[in-house]
Amino acid sequence: MKKPLTCIEDYRPPAWRMQTIALDFDLDVEQSWVSARLHVIQDPAQADVGLRLDGENVELLEIRLDGRVLASDEYRIEGALLFLDAVRGEAVIETRSRIRPADNKAMQGLYLSGGTEQGFLLSQCEAEGFRHITWSIDRPDVLARYTVTLRADRARFPVLLAGGNPDGAGELADGRHWARFVDPQPKPSYLFAIVAGRLAVIEDRHCTAEGRLVSLKIWAPAPLIARCRYALDCLKAAMLWDEQRFGRNYRLDVFHVVATDDFTMGAMENTGLNIFNSKYLLADPLHATDDDYRHVLAVVAHEYFHNWTGNRVTCRDWFQLCLKEGLTVYREQEFVSEQTSRTLRRIEDVRVLWRNQFSEDAGPLAHPVRPSQYSEINNFYTATVYEKGAEIVRMLATVLGRDGFRRGMDLYFDRHDGAAVTVEDFLAALGDANQRELSPWLAWYTQAGTPVLEAQGAFDAQTHCYTLELTQSFAPVATALPRQALPIPVALALFDAFGNRLKIERNGVAGDIDEAVILLDRPRMSLTFRHLDHAPIVSLLRGYSAPVRIAQRGDWADLVVLATHEDDGFNRWQAADGLIRHLFMAELQGDARGAPAFGAWMTGLRRAFDEADLDPATLAEMLTLADEITLGESLAEIDPPAIHAARSRLECSIAQALQTELLACYEQLAAASMAGAEPVAQGQRRLRNACLGLLCRADPQYHALALRHFDDAVCLSDKLAALTCLVHGQALAAQNALDTFAADYSTAATVMDRWFSVQATLPTANALERVRALTRHAAFRWDNPNKVYALLLAFALRNPVGFHREDGAGYEFIADSIRRIDRITPQVAARLTTAFAAWRRYPPTLRERMHAQLMRLQEAAAMSADVTDILARSLAHADEDGSLRP
């Protein structure tokens, strides 16, 4: 099923708006009844446009216009639209409908999480889920005040929740009860939410800077509720931070958060009632890794920050999705950086950008941060919208400065609170608050592709001047649109050959500074640095000041200096990563000239082990090689076996060269395993587990150490790190460890997901047989997104050796899985389909076999719009001008 394209140039303001909407629910698992009362007002400028309401899988039982029941010939239903052609001006529309939550496996609208007897009802309405609940105007620029009344059997549904403030509750006949909620803030339908079922709760309070006392409540099934305490602490920290950093206060009386194991997304920011995938809410040492703790901190903050950037100021249309997501990701990144380690968070964010977004930008699924058209909006919740969108905001914050960015955000909120706006509105507010013209930045939102920043320097010994030529260009991308130069903030510093920072003196920049931010806003720029005795080493994009590829012409020896002496933690890591890529390419090409660089870098790493001031987490990242997907992404042709072999040889060589230092560091950090979840302890555990992983790569004799590590572990980070070493190292003890782990965590769904992923990413060709067998495991569910992501998506996206088997069996298995899942949860199937997107970049045999599976899927009957859209874009032909056509 293919949906027609929705194009940004076709946007028209809504002909009808809703003032208020009152919803009454009579809830049950098999079928629920929904009564809706819509007060609608027509735009006088569109007086000829009749009223139409959106609805899918909603059985209409009755409809009234201003209190009068309409006959069947006074309205019509065509597909997912209900037409009321004769309605004009202002009216009250009342509908009574029936929906079937237990049958809703797509998890859009109202559905059942868990089993029929013990599960609970919840809703998911972003992007277009509200139309699966009732007939309404389901678009983000139609805002209304909501009153919601829920009625249900008290024994089966003791907890009744909706967005907004509680406005009464009571008992009904026959063991039923009711609860009412009123949201005083106008909101779009995608932010509507209800929850009903048996849930336990933990509570706390927060007093805002404005003096409002807010009740905070986290709800989860009773066996999980004790693991929600950390999330509650994260919520309080996020509320305080947003008050202090951005002056944003929460303005409802209650903030509910609900955990579910059945959710297609990470979490949802519904006003006053956030709904979370359990894996981003539950945390305790035995059930959550240190990474999980940081993810909980980040996602809880992200959804709370949406209260202003997304909810109170929302999107005019779905083309503006980055306006709420990219901006909120940036706010989340800043919060987590200040709560934990700024360097580690920056490294993690850039790793995700390079691995996911850069590859997306280079393939058929490339699209601008603000796309110009879409067929299925669910497929645009992408790394480009989120991660690249956040990087654009970060660049703006860099050029405006912290105070200037705050002024701009204050004006943005003041102008647009309670409104649905565009990227242009955002840029205008930032610019007006700082008397700057920011319209050139719109190009970052409207152009697809990753810019390439090339730097080439020349030193003149006679004039003691160093000239740096900066050039921006674009990697090939699937678009025929003309290119324009982007504003690129380039933060840079100069070092001498001994790693000392040099003062920067050049025209246009005041002297006696040791870092400059240059705005490269044209195709080429020449910078001259004066009063230098020798050619400097240039450290570009400090803190990763722009989301670009760097093509910096220089010696590997310069990278060694920066990786050893840079005092910007991120750029120190970036230099180390650059060295690894240099060594990887030498290994891949069989170039013995990589040996001097290898020796110099090993010397640098040995010194790093002795640095008292070096953050352990940063050292751990310097020891961690880029994964095979990231390394392959920069190659013209991706050859998975060759990439795996080269990376494996390099990793073994590093591990063997540093064996003494790795073992000493591992033993020195033994106490870290017993420490808590504070950032220092997490960083030490991260380094210790990195050392263990490399030791096991150096020599199989260390499998005994990994087994002891596994047996002695008192936290999940250590246990999972050891399990990965044993399984991926194919140790004799691996199966026993897997069995022990499964027995210990059989009732912990989120931890069992990690157990599935460890096996799905086993880098061997026969991993496919293991994955097939695991789909029959009692803990695996085809209808649970987390299980599908943990096993099948991990295999397809994180195991290039297993997925890209030469016989094509991995492709066939995933294609079969897509067909099966598409009949259950199309959004999940579409995400799995993206594993084939880069098929043109593989060697001929693999390319042909991937293409065959894509064609088989495209020719299959009754595929969802979600999957059909991904298939069409993946299979589109590239014309000579770079544009795509079917």
Side-chain angles (χ1 to χ4, degrees):
M1 179 180 67
K2 185 175 181 180
K3 283 187 177 181
L5 282 177
T6 301
C7 301
I8 193 169
E9 63 264 23
D10 295 334
Y11 173 82
R12 299 292 182 272
W16 293 82
R17 297 187 181 273
M18 294 192 299
Q19 293 291 97
T20 60
I21 177 169
L23 297 168
D24 281 32
F25 288 83
D26 287 284
L27 295 168
D28 208 346
V29 170
E30 298 298 333
Q31 51 186 357
S32 293
W33 287 264
V34 186
S35 297
R37 187 178 191 273
L38 286 62
H39 179 193
V40 297
I41 298 178
Q42 190 174 28
D43 177 6
Q46 303 184 66
D48 60 332
V49 180
L51 177 65
R52 69 179 193 179
L53 304 179
D54 301 296
E56 293 187 45
N57 303 313
V58 177
E59 180 185 356
L60 180 65
L61 304 176
E62 182 182 80
I63 181 168
R64 295 172 180 260
L65 170 61
D66 294 329
R68 180 178 65 85
V69 176
L70 295 183
S72 60
D73 62 351
E74 294 182 279
Y75 65 91
R76 58 193 169 89
I77 296 177
E78 295 181 4
L81 291 173
L82 189 161
F83 291 88
L84 295 160
D85 295 324
V87 177
R88 290 294 185 273
E90 183 173 355
V92 173
I93 308 296
E94 297 172 273
T95 60
R96 180 166 172 77
S97 306
R98 177 164 51 196
I99 55 178
R100 302 182 183 278
D103 294 339
N104 182 3
K105 302 302 182 183
M107 301 182 190
Q108 283 283 294
L110 185 67
Y111 66 96
L112 178 68
S113 175
T116 302
E117 297 301 321
Q118 298 299 322
F120 62 95
L121 297 176
L122 73 157
S123 62
Q124 167 56 21
C125 292
E126 189 175 355
E128 296 176 337
F130 190 68
R131 64 189 62 188
H132 293 268
I133 293 176
T134 190
W135 298 95
S136 184
I137 307 174
D138 188 15
R139 50 187 284 176
D141 57 353
V142 174
L143 283 67
R145 289 181 171 86
Y146 281 67
T147 299
V148 180
T149 302
L150 308 176
R151 290 183 289 268
D153 179 80
R154 175 176 283 281
R156 179 63 183 84
F157 301 101
V159 175
L160 300 175
L161 302 173
N165 290 324
D167 190 52
E171 301 301 319
L172 298 168
D174 303 323
R176 292 163 61 77
H177 68 136
W178 65 274
R180 181 181 297 114
F181 298 82
V182 175
D183 195 337
Q185 174 75 17
K187 67 185 178 187
S189 55
Y190 82 86
L191 291 172
F192 170 82
I194 61 172
V195 170
R198 301 187 186 99
L199 296 166
V201 65
I202 57 172
E203 303 181 54
D204 208 328
R205 296 188 300 176
H206 173 76
C207 185
T208 71
E210 295 176 337
R212 178 186 294 273
L213 192 62
V214 182
S215 175
L216 310 178
K217 299 184 179 184
I218 296 186
W219 304 82
L224 304 179
I225 196 64
R227 294 163 57 191
C228 295
R229 176 58 60 181
Y230 176 71
L232 192 55
D233 293 339
C234 293
L235 175 59
K236 293 172 65 178
M239 296 178 83
L240 180 62
W241 184 87
D242 211 18
E243 292 168 5
Q244 295 173 343
R245 177 73 180 269
F246 286 100
R248 298 299 102 196
N249 289 265
Y250 187 71
R251 290 178 178 167
L252 292 176
D253 298 331
V254 64
F255 191 95
H256 295 286
V257 179
V258 177
T260 174
D261 286 339
D262 299 291
F263 208 62
T264 59
M265 307 174 79
M268 182 60 210
E269 69 269 17
N270 320 292
T271 53
L273 178 55
N274 286 189
I275 297 175
F276 271 67
N277 191 318
S278 296
K279 67 181 179 180
Y280 295 119
L281 201 65
L282 309 179
D284 65 63
L286 289 177
H287 297 88
T289 65
D290 293 332
D291 287 344
D292 293 333
Y293 270 89
R294 287 194 306 282
H295 291 155
V296 169
L297 178 67
V299 179
V300 167
H302 180 99
E303 304 309 326
Y304 173 73
F305 295 153
H306 266 314
N307 177 61
W308 277 95
T309 47
N311 295 10
R312 296 189 70 95
V313 182
T314 195
C315 300
R316 186 197 72 177
D317 51 64
W318 289 120
F319 297 104
Q320 319 297 328
L321 181 60
C322 61
L323 184 61
K324 74 182 185 78
E325 295 301 347
L327 178 55
T328 303
V329 169
Y330 168 74
R331 279 156 43 78
E332 161 212 320
Q333 291 173 349
E334 285 297 287
F335 168 73
V336 175
S337 294
E338 293 183 13
Q339 301 291 313
T340 57
S341 162
R342 181 167 291 275
T343 295
L344 177 58
R345 177 63 202 241
R346 196 70 186 120
I347 292 170
E348 290 177 329
D349 291 337
V350 174
R351 277 194 189 275
V352 170
L353 186 80
W354 288 350
R355 186 185 193 278
N356 299 337
Q357 199 281 318
F358 278 17
S359 60
E360 188 170 88
D361 246 352
L365 301 185
H367 62 88
V369 173
R370 186 175 71 179
S372 60
Q373 61 184 33
Y374 62 80
S375 174
E376 176 51 68
I377 187 56
N378 289 325
N379 291 335
F380 280 85
Y381 285 75
T382 61
T384 296
V385 167
Y386 280 70
E387 276 68 42
K388 188 174 181 179
E391 293 299 321
I392 299 173
V393 177
R394 182 175 297 279
M395 288 189 291
L396 288 163
T398 297
V399 299
L400 296 176
R402 182 170 175 138
D403 292 341
F405 186 71
R406 169 64 188 270
R407 283 194 302 273
M409 291 300 295
D410 286 347
L411 182 58
Y412 175 66
F413 294 131
D414 290 344
R415 279 183 179 176
H416 302 299
D417 187 11
V421 299
T422 65
V423 169
E424 285 86 348
D425 295 321
F426 174 64
L427 293 175
L430 295 183
D432 290 350
N434 292 278
Q435 292 82 52
R436 293 188 64 158
E437 176 56 56
L438 297 181
S439 58
W441 290 84
L442 188 62
W444 272 105
Y445 288 95
T446 57
Q447 294 184 172
T450 303
V452 177
L453 175 67
E454 183 172 359
Q456 184 173 7
F459 179 69
D460 188 325
Q462 292 184 338
T463 62
H464 298 275
C465 290
Y466 178 80
T467 301
L468 182 66
E469 294 283 345
L470 296 179
T471 304
Q472 61 168 292
S473 59
F474 292 89
V477 68
T479 178
L481 295 175
R483 294 291 184 179
Q484 67 180 85
L486 298 170
I488 300 175
V490 181
L492 58 84
L494 306 180
F495 290 79
D496 66 18
F498 302 99
N500 300 307
R501 287 275 288 275
L502 301 174
K503 297 299 180 183
I504 294 176
E505 296 185 31
R506 74 175 190 88
N507 292 339
V509 176
D512 201 33
I513 62 172
D514 55 13
E515 180 179 276
V517 178
I518 310 300
L519 188 63
L520 174 64
D521 56 0
R522 47 191 181 274
R524 182 181 299 273
M525 178 182 289
S526 179
L527 308 174
T528 300
F529 301 94
R530 307 181 186 285
H531 304 121
L532 296 170
D533 294 328
H534 302 281
I537 297 170
V538 184
S539 182
L540 282 174
L541 295 180
R542 304 190 90 219
Y544 202 59
S545 58
V548 301
R549 297 180 187 273
I550 303 178
Q552 186 174 6
R553 299 183 185 181
D555 197 320
W556 58 260
D558 293 348
L559 291 175
V560 173
V561 172
L562 294 176
T564 306
H565 298 288
E566 241 287 16
D567 54 356
D568 178 292
F570 174 84
N571 267 41
R572 183 172 184 179
W573 169 81
Q574 184 171 231
D577 181 74
L579 276 167
I580 291 299
R581 291 168 186 264
H582 172 82
L583 295 172
F584 165 76
M585 289 303 300
E587 191 69 49
L588 185 67
Q589 298 166 0
D591 188 349
R593 288 175 293 179
F598 181 87
W601 179 222
M602 292 306 99
T603 300
L605 279 175
R606 291 188 185 97
R607 292 172 181 165
F609 277 104
D610 294 329
E611 285 186 47
D613 296 334
L614 180 58
D615 178 15
T618 301
L619 178 54
E621 291 301 305
M622 292 166 67
L623 291 168
T624 303
L625 276 66
D627 61 34
E628 292 168 30
I629 303 298
T630 302
L631 293 171
E633 195 275 325
S634 61
L635 301 175
E637 183 177 84
I638 302 170
D639 185 344
I643 292 169
H644 173 72
R647 183 189 183 279
S648 182
R649 290 194 301 271
L650 177 59
E651 190 174 40
C652 286
S653 296
I654 292 173
Q656 290 165 357
L658 299 175
Q659 199 169 157
T660 301
E661 290 77 16
L662 292 167
L663 184 58
C665 184
Y666 174 85
E667 293 173 345
Q668 181 183 352
L669 293 174
S673 296
M674 306 298 293
E678 64 276 5
V680 172
Q682 288 190 9
Q684 291 174 342
R685 278 194 296 271
R686 192 182 193 90
L687 177 55
R688 188 170 191 250
N689 287 325
C691 290
L692 177 65
L694 284 173
L695 285 168
C696 289
R697 296 291 288 136
D699 194 323
Q701 68 169 325
Y702 291 107
H703 288 161
L705 182 62
L707 181 60
R708 186 162 65 249
H709 193 95
F710 178 85
D711 291 337
D712 295 343
V714 295
C715 65
L716 185 60
S717 283
D718 284 352
K719 188 169 285 289
L720 193 64
L723 182 67
T724 303
C725 289
L726 294 169
V727 174
H728 288 200
Q730 301 184 69
L732 295 176
Q735 190 57 53
N736 285 339
L738 283 167
D739 294 342
T740 299
F741 191 97
D744 290 344
Y745 291 106
S746 60
T747 61
T750 56
V751 184
M752 286 300 292
D753 291 343
R754 309 301 287 267
W755 182 81
F756 281 120
S757 292
V758 167
Q759 298 175 79
T761 53
L762 173 64
T764 62
N766 62 6
L768 173 60
E769 282 67 38
R770 184 186 289 258
V771 171
R772 284 187 191 276
L774 287 170
T775 62
R776 298 186 291 272
H777 192 277
F780 181 79
R781 287 172 45 201
W782 287 94
D783 63 349
N784 179 265
N786 286 354
K787 294 292 179 283
V788 173
Y789 295 154
L791 183 62
L792 303 184
L793 197 68
F795 172 73
L797 295 185
R798 293 167 47 204
N799 190 346
V801 173
F803 178 56
H804 295 287
R805 272 177 36 163
E806 189 173 1
D807 62 2
Y811 306 150
E812 183 178 6
F813 168 71
I814 291 299
D816 289 342
S817 299
I818 290 167
R819 293 188 64 181
R820 178 170 182 169
I821 296 164
D822 193 46
R823 294 190 289 268
I824 306 169
T825 318
Q827 287 185 38
V828 176
R831 188 172 178 188
L832 192 56
T833 308
T834 63
F836 292 97
W839 63 276
R840 287 185 175 88
R841 297 186 60 197
Y842 288 84
T845 300
L846 297 182
R847 184 164 65 240
E848 291 167 6
R849 288 175 173 157
M850 293 178 83
H851 180 259
Q853 295 305 322
L854 285 168
M855 293 302 299
R856 186 165 71 94
L857 287 170
Q858 189 177 56
E859 293 163 3
M863 298 299 287
S864 70
D866 304 68
V867 170
T868 300
D869 173 50
I870 298 295
L871 290 171
R873 289 193 281 149
S874 298
L875 286 165
H877 298 285
D879 290 329
E880 289 183 3
D881 63 2
S883 61
L884 292 179
R885 55 184 173 82

